[in-house]
Amino acid sequence: MTPLLRVQNFTVSRDGFGAGENQSLERPFGHADPGTMFTWAGATAGWPNRTDPGGSRGLDDYFTRDFGNNIGAEIMGRNKFSPQRGPWKDHDWLGWWGDEPPFHTPVFVLTHHPRPSFTLSDTTFHFVDADPATALAQAREAAGGKDVRLGGGATTIREFLDADLVDTLHVAVCPHVELGSGVRLWKSPDELLDRFHLEVVPSFSGVVHHLFWRR
Amino acid sequence: MTPLLRVQNFTVSRDGFGAGENQSLERPFGHADPGTMFTWAGATAGWPNRTDPGGSRGLDDYFTRDFGNNIGAEIMGRNKFSPQRGPWKDHDWLGWWGDEPPFHTPVFVLTHHPRPSFTLSDTTFHFVDADPATALAQAREAAGGKDVRLGGGATTIREFLDADLVDTLHVAVCPHVELGSGVRLWKSPDELLDRFHLEVVPSFSGVVHHLFWRR
């Protein structure tokens, strides 16, 4: 099977924003409340950041437990990695995820300000200043025949969509969250219908799963 | 995480039968038509028996591609392995799956007529004359900390349910298939509600996914 570039468990507000405005160390999602937006995922047994036992094993869990399934590398934007902008003041910042990041693969961080790679547990972060196609080629090489996850944020996903490099997207829409402004994935999921099949699956948690795959 | 015993992608008729009557070499599902019952799974990219590229990557695919996800062993009933009954006439029969069975793990076949283990590609079949708890203990040992799949048929699943050993079940119900008789999983999914949570998810293919996990 040809390896894919997959967006998974990406969560947006009803009005299509993946994060709010004014990201900071204290507010990784800006004015958006991650506690509200990610409740659906955090409630599942398969949530990659889960540390305690328990959690639901219904529909939502099929999405969260697919997070690492046949994934060999991740690509993320710099704003997913860090709240800092511009040149790095130092290299002390090692991401939001503590000593055990949930990725367990190489991670390629897109940035105009490369810095040395580093490893935390079984996750190695690389920093690349490259266009989407070049970054994807590097990630594929590292993924050893497995798929590559496109981890977001919304701006990064848009760039890879614009370059027509994305094979599948799973986007969870929160119908009760309206952000008004922030980092936009789309105005409407219909924007992708010229290139993708779409199945829309309402879940018991209240989110509406949108499943896209190439036509 | 505690390893689970999981039923996955088990497909039944509207009236609760996993197979029809009179299984034979020519008709592994008896008078049931597997072409109709498994259309939903065969259409997906993740179908473990798929040999050609393509296939859908929507909701149904999340179920089929979870088939091997964190699975370290399978338990199946003898009637899933073979149409023969009683003592083995010889040991020439190696299952329905050809040289490359889709399991890729040890498989424990429950039978009152044990025979020597054998290996096809990366699947090894063991034959055990044991009660469900003992068979599960053997499969768990072989699974090396991963989950165990309970592969069916319906009679085998019922035995493990009766022994309260099953942690999760995914059952796809075909609303347009009525068998009238055969190997029954249930009269109604409600029979399991005293012990399991249930989410019912209609799919675009026409099947209705039933997702159970322990209360």
Side-chain angles (χ1 to χ4, degrees):
Chain A
M1 294 245 244
T2 312
L4 306 176
L5 181 64
R6 295 157 50 187
V7 173
Q8 296 172 293
N9 303 314
F10 194 76
T11 303
V12 300
S13 62
R14 176 171 58 180
D15 48 351
F17 295 99
E21 286 187 295
N22 301 318
Q23 185 195 43
S24 67
L25 183 61
E26 294 72 30
R27 298 202 62 97
F29 291 85
H31 78 283
D33 173 16
T36 304
M37 286 182 71
F38 298 104
T39 301
W40 75 269
T44 64
W47 176 232
N49 303 314
R50 172 174 291 281
T51 51
D52 55 329
S56 66
R57 297 183 186 276
L59 176 64
D60 290 344
D61 191 55
Y62 275 85
F63 297 103
T64 58
R65 77 197 199 216
D66 199 52
F67 178 78
N69 190 5
N70 198 42
I71 291 288
E74 164 150 339
I75 295 170
M76 65 172 66
R78 178 184 173 167
N79 295 0
K80 176 171 171 180
F81 175 75
S82 161
Q84 302 177 42
R85 301 291 183 269
W88 303 97
K89 295 186 189 67
D90 54 56
H91 294 161
D92 292 347
W93 178 262
L94 301 179
W96 307 93
W97 302 278
D99 294 339
E100 291 278 352
F103 307 105
H104 311 296
T105 66
V107 172
F108 294 81
V109 181
L110 297 176
T111 172
H112 296 304
H113 304 281
R115 49 178 268 192
S117 302
F118 68 88
T119 298
L120 286 174
S121 181
D122 53 0
T123 298
T124 297
F125 292 89
H126 302 287
F127 298 83
V128 291
D129 183 7
D131 64 277
T134 305
L136 177 57
Q138 287 186 37
R140 275 203 208 286
E141 177 79 23
K146 292 186 174 180
D147 296 340
V148 175
R149 184 193 307 111
L150 183 58
T155 304
T156 301
I157 296 173
R158 288 278 6 149
E159 288 170 359
F160 281 76
L161 282 171
D162 291 346
D164 199 24
L165 295 171
V166 179
D167 296 302
T168 68
L169 296 94
H170 161 228
V171 178
V173 177
C174 300
H176 306 299
V177 175
E178 192 159 325
L179 291 178
S181 63
V183 191
R184 187 184 280 288
L185 178 66
W186 58 41
K187 287 190 176 168
S188 158
D190 293 352
E191 295 165 16
L192 301 179
L193 292 185
D194 57 336
R195 285 185 287 157
F196 291 93
H197 299 278
L198 170 60
E199 288 184 1
V200 179
V201 187
S203 184
F204 302 79
S205 59
V207 298
V208 181
H209 298 291
H210 287 60
L211 311 177
F212 301 86
W213 71 102
R214 272 187 199 279
R215 289 189 174 279
Chain B
M1 295 243 247
T2 312
L4 306 176
L5 182 64
R6 294 157 49 187
V7 174
Q8 298 173 291
N9 303 315
F10 194 75
T11 303
V12 301
S13 63
R14 175 171 59 179
D15 48 351
F17 296 99
E21 288 188 294
N22 301 318
Q23 185 195 44
S24 68
L25 184 61
E26 294 72 31
R27 299 202 59 98
F29 291 85
H31 77 282
D33 173 15
T36 305
M37 285 182 70
F38 298 103
T39 301
W40 74 270
T44 64
W47 176 232
N49 303 314
R50 173 174 289 280
T51 49
D52 54 330
S56 65
R57 299 183 185 275
L59 176 64
D60 290 343
D61 190 56
Y62 275 84
F63 297 103
T64 58
R65 77 197 199 214
D66 200 52
F67 178 78
N69 190 6
N70 198 43
I71 291 287
E74 164 150 340
I75 296 170
M76 65 171 66
R78 178 185 174 166
N79 295 0
K80 176 170 171 180
F81 175 76
S82 162
Q84 302 176 43
R85 302 291 182 271
W88 303 97
K89 294 186 189 68
D90 55 55
H91 294 163
D92 292 347
W93 178 262
L94 302 179
W96 307 92
W97 303 279
D99 294 338
E100 292 275 351
F103 307 107
H104 313 296
T105 65
V107 172
F108 294 81
V109 180
L110 297 175
T111 172
H112 297 303
H113 304 282
R115 50 178 266 192
S117 302
F118 67 89
T119 299
L120 286 174
S121 182
D122 53 0
T123 298
T124 297
F125 291 89
H126 303 288
F127 298 84
V128 291
D129 183 7
D131 64 276
T134 305
L136 178 56
Q138 287 185 37
R140 275 204 209 287
E141 177 78 23
K146 293 186 174 181
D147 296 340
V148 175
R149 183 193 308 110
L150 182 58
T155 305
T156 301
I157 296 174
R158 288 279 4 149
E159 288 170 359
F160 281 76
L161 282 171
D162 291 347
D164 200 23
L165 295 171
V166 179
D167 296 300
T168 67
L169 296 92
H170 162 227
V171 179
V173 177
C174 301
H176 306 298
V177 176
E178 192 160 323
L179 291 177
S181 63
V183 192
R184 186 183 282 287
L185 178 66
W186 59 41
K187 288 191 176 169
S188 158
D190 294 352
E191 295 164 15
L192 300 180
L193 292 185
D194 57 336
R195 285 184 287 157
F196 291 93
H197 299 279
L198 171 60
E199 288 182 1
V200 179
V201 186
S203 185
F204 302 79
S205 58
V207 298
V208 181
H209 298 291
H210 287 61
L211 311 177
F212 301 86
W213 71 103
R214 271 188 199 279
R215 288 188 174 279

